[in-house]
Amino acid sequence: LLGSSFLSLPDFYFFGENLVRLQSFPWLLSLGQAYFSPALRGRPAPATLDLWRLAYPRGFRSAAESVREQPPLDRNLAFAVIREESRFAAGVVSAAGARGLMQIMPATGRELARVRGLKQFEPRSLRDPEVNLELGIAYLAGLLEECDGNLAYALAAYNAGPHRVRSWQAQNPGLPNHAVRLHLGRFQ
């Protein structure tokens, strides 16, 4: 089972579907990357669509889709951020202290909760997928609007903080998207 010669594509689909049912997304992502990353290069083909769906899961979909934010945010972008930030592990805490699916810092979470009218917010609330997704999706949507729809700047602001992006822009007027993308290599 641990070597690619022991795990066939049908076996991966079987394990993958069960891992989705169990919401064991970190295991699913690890299996997919370890065994089938060559098949995930380029664009999805009809023969590999199921593999792509397992490699790019939509964990916590109902909670993500229930969030009402203005402006609206494409959920595929939210799922991409979740996949990179937490690998869909709701209880994860980063070395910097960011928490939950969308890796929100407690101070940011507190401010977002205040703005969104969530009562009795505590940092541990960020481990609750519904709370984390509500705050994270609204935050990302706001950053995208603040960055005039520039995805590279919005993702940089989400990852490093809006103050850092403003600082980079002040130090480098006309900072091109490709410079920001270099910083965000793992989101590409």
Side-chain angles (χ1 to χ4, degrees), residues 79 85 110 116 121 148 172 183:
F79 291 127
E85 291 286 339
R110 189 173 291 108
R116 295 209 37 105
F121 174 84
D148 297 322
N172 305 288
H183 173 73

Side-chain angles (χ1 to χ4, degrees), residues 13 44-54:
Y13 289 144
T48 61
L49 282 180
D50 287 337
L51 181 60
W52 280 85
R53 285 187 192 105
L54 290 173

Side-chain angles (χ1 to χ4, degrees), residues 59-69 75 78-79 82 133 137:
F60 306 95
R61 185 179 206 148
S62 62
E65 290 176 351
S66 72
V67 176
R68 298 291 164 242
E69 77 287 348
R75 290 305 184 263
F79 291 127
I82 295 165
L133 291 170
I137 289 171

Side-chain angles (χ1 to χ4, degrees), residues 56 80 83-85 151-152 155-156 159-160 168 177-188:
Y56 293 89
R83 185 180 192 273
E84 289 302 315
E85 291 286 339
L151 184 58
L155 288 173
N159 187 260
W168 296 339
N177 285 348
H178 70 271
V180 176
R181 286 190 181 107
L182 285 175
H183 173 73
L184 290 170
R186 65 193 183 117
F187 281 105
Q188 299 302 310

